[in-house]
Amino acid sequence: MSTGNVSFIKDFVIVGFPGLQPRYYGIVSAVLFFVYVCTMVGNAVFFTLLIMSKSLQKPVYYFVLNLAVCDVLFSTTTLPKIISRYWFQDGSISFLGCFVQMFFVHYFGTVSSHVLALMAIDRYAAICYPLRYHTIMSNRNVFILSCIAWVWSCAVPLMVKKIFIVVSAMFVLLVPLGFIIFSFIAIIALVFKMSDHQARYKTLSTCTPQLIIILLYYVPRCVVYAYENVVPIPPSIRMTVVLWYSLIPPPDTPLQTCNNASTQCGPYADRKRWDWSV
């Protein structure tokens, strides 16, 4: 029996930004290359400071180290190919290359979500249970939690059914976000009980960089996942939102962390001397 004509797809074409005129290709590629360089340089500076500065050798910064590694790998997975699309007009990608890139995009995104939740839990333990903090967040526990985040995240990109993809995506976003919201609510409630305004300010200042990173990561993703399953999002708007949460957090993470480290001698250094009277 004849089975008819069979065709095999070997390559995909990267469309890029819908409707972008060729005269803007150079500008777009230059901007993306600049973001990539900022990500690499910023995280390299953070890695150097972490090695050289004892004030950064604390559990919260070990979690940030995981996030920085994830950001570097995520940017390296995505940006070079889209840069070559506009810089060298290399707009094709093999099926295997597309599959590998898709896997790592979802994988590193999942790892980032889990690490952000661990960072929020670390901040909660440090502020709400300062005397037990070093027991709860020992180097051993930090290492185990970090390994779990990287290993557990491998299962999410392997989902192939659409319903499983949607459910797993919402699970990856909402469960860590739930831990983060709980942690910050508990922290804020505790801050308002402090009678010392300096202690109140210092506590909030240690949370601000992490809060900025969390907002940059979660808000655009939640908007995309919530709306695209209810109301179709125009490709141009969706591309803009995807670029927002893909390109802004990686270079911003080391910037916020280094800024926090430069203004503090360690986020919890004076924690035991704060006034807790109401």
Side-chain angles (χ1 to χ4, degrees):
M1 294 178 62
S2 175
T3 58
N5 295 328
V6 179
S7 60
F8 297 93
I9 299 176
K10 296 182 178 180
D11 300 291
F12 292 103
V13 176
I14 300 175
V15 177
F17 302 100
L20 183 67
Q21 299 297 320
R23 64 176 179 270
Y24 297 118
Y25 285 4
I27 297 176
V28 170
S29 59
V31 171
L32 295 177
F33 180 74
F34 176 74
V35 171
Y36 184 65
V37 170
C38 288
T39 300
M40 297 297 109
V41 173
N43 283 288
V45 171
F46 170 71
F47 295 150
T48 304
L49 290 176
L50 183 64
I51 295 173
M52 299 179 61
S53 176
K54 291 185 178 180
S55 65
L56 291 180
Q57 294 175 7
K58 302 178 184 295
V60 65
Y61 293 115
Y62 293 143
F63 286 132
V64 175
L65 175 63
N66 283 271
L67 190 62
V69 171
C70 192
D71 287 341
V72 168
L73 295 176
F74 180 89
S75 298
T76 302
T77 300
T78 56
L79 285 178
K81 191 59 186 178
I82 191 66
I83 291 172
S84 66
R85 160 70 175 85
Y86 290 109
W87 214 326
F88 306 109
Q89 286 72 53
D90 179 17
S92 63
I93 184 172
S94 65
F95 176 83
L96 178 60
C98 182
F99 177 81
V100 171
Q101 186 182 67
M102 179 184 68
F103 173 85
F104 282 114
V105 164
H106 291 290
Y107 174 61
F108 293 133
T110 304
V111 174
S112 296
S113 182
H114 291 158
V115 172
L116 287 173
L118 293 176
M119 291 170 61
I121 293 172
D122 170 89
R123 196 58 51 95
Y124 168 77
I127 294 176
C128 298
Y129 301 97
L131 300 180
R132 299 173 54 193
Y133 172 72
H134 291 291
T135 302
I136 298 172
M137 287 297 174
S138 64
N139 289 338
R140 177 177 178 273
N141 290 342
V142 169
F143 177 76
I144 292 174
L145 290 172
S146 299
C147 289
I148 291 174
W150 285 88
V151 174
W152 167 254
S153 300
C154 290
V156 175
L158 297 177
M159 301 292 182
V160 292
K161 295 288 186 179
K162 183 177 181 181
I163 184 63
F164 294 149
I165 294 174
V166 174
V167 172
S168 64
M170 298 309 296
F171 179 84
V172 166
L173 284 176
L174 298 183
V175 172
L177 184 59
F179 282 104
I180 292 171
I181 292 174
F182 168 79
S183 299
F184 277 96
I185 289 176
I187 291 171
I188 292 172
L190 196 58
V191 165
F192 280 107
K193 293 181 180 180
M194 296 179 181
S195 60
D196 188 341
H197 293 287
Q198 184 179 0
R200 187 180 298 180
Y201 169 78
K202 187 170 185 178
T203 305
L204 291 176
S205 68
T206 63
C207 297
T208 301
Q210 182 180 337
L211 186 59
I212 293 174
I213 296 171
I214 288 170
L215 291 175
L216 290 173
Y217 181 90
Y218 280 102
V219 172
R221 281 176 166 85
C222 289
V223 169
V224 168
Y225 281 111
Y227 275 93
E228 74 176 357
N229 290 288
V230 178
V231 180
I233 301 177
S236 58
I237 296 179
R238 191 181 192 282
M239 179 65 70
T240 302
V241 176
V242 169
L243 281 175
W244 176 267
Y245 69 67
S246 298
L247 301 184
I248 302 300
D252 186 68
T253 298
L255 177 64
Q256 295 294 339
T257 304
C258 293
N259 178 65
N260 185 53
S262 65
T263 57
Q264 314 262 347
C265 295
Y268 317 119
D270 300 326
R271 186 66 180 78
K272 294 182 180 179
R273 298 199 300 267
W274 292 352
D275 180 12
W276 289 92
S277 58
V278 179

